Amino acid sequence: MISIEDFLKIDLRVAEIKHAEPHPNADKLLILKIDAGDGMEGRQIVAGIRSTYQPEELVGKKIVIVNNLAPATLRGVESQGMLLAAKDGSQVVILTTEKDIKPGSKIQ
């Protein structure tokens, strides 16, 4: 169990996928260029969803990300956040918003 204080440290935000492409060095990863409403040009996240999603079907989707996660390098590519997804066995489904809302909107 974690405390509510620890949970509140996690900054969950809405982001829009602007571009998606296969990771050149990993069969399970996609590189997603996102707009998280923070004005950071070229922000990207690396996600292990390549077996479930084609890059072209992700462009324009609004997703939920962990906005304040420290950057990590995955197979040579920097990831500046993490998308949230649900997994049931081999099925992976990204979390999206029910209605249209602007990038950067805070999840509460």
Side-chain angles (χ1 to χ4, degrees), residues 22-77:
H23 190 297
N25 302 318
D27 293 339
K28 296 180 181 181
L29 301 176
L30 290 176
I31 302 169
L32 310 174
K33 304 286 185 182
I34 62 167
D35 173 6
D38 54 10
M40 191 172 153
E41 287 291 319
R43 184 165 181 189
Q44 65 186 20
I45 57 176
V46 179
I49 58 172
R50 188 168 171 181
S51 63
T52 307
Y53 290 96
Q54 295 299 314
E56 58 273 5
E57 73 182 290
L58 294 170
V59 176
K61 282 199 180 291
K62 301 284 178 66
I63 59 172
V64 177
I65 65 165
V66 179
N67 194 48
N68 61 339
L69 190 65
T73 301
L74 303 172
R75 304 288 299 257
V77 176

Side-chain angles (χ1 to χ4, degrees), residues 14-18 35 59-63 96-107:
V14 173
E16 182 177 356
I17 299 173
K18 297 303 216 175
D35 173 6
V59 176
K61 282 199 180 291
K62 301 284 178 66
I63 59 172
T96 61
T97 59
E98 177 191 14
K99 296 180 181 174
D100 192 34
I101 193 166
K102 70 178 184 172
S105 297
K106 186 166 178 58
I107 306 297

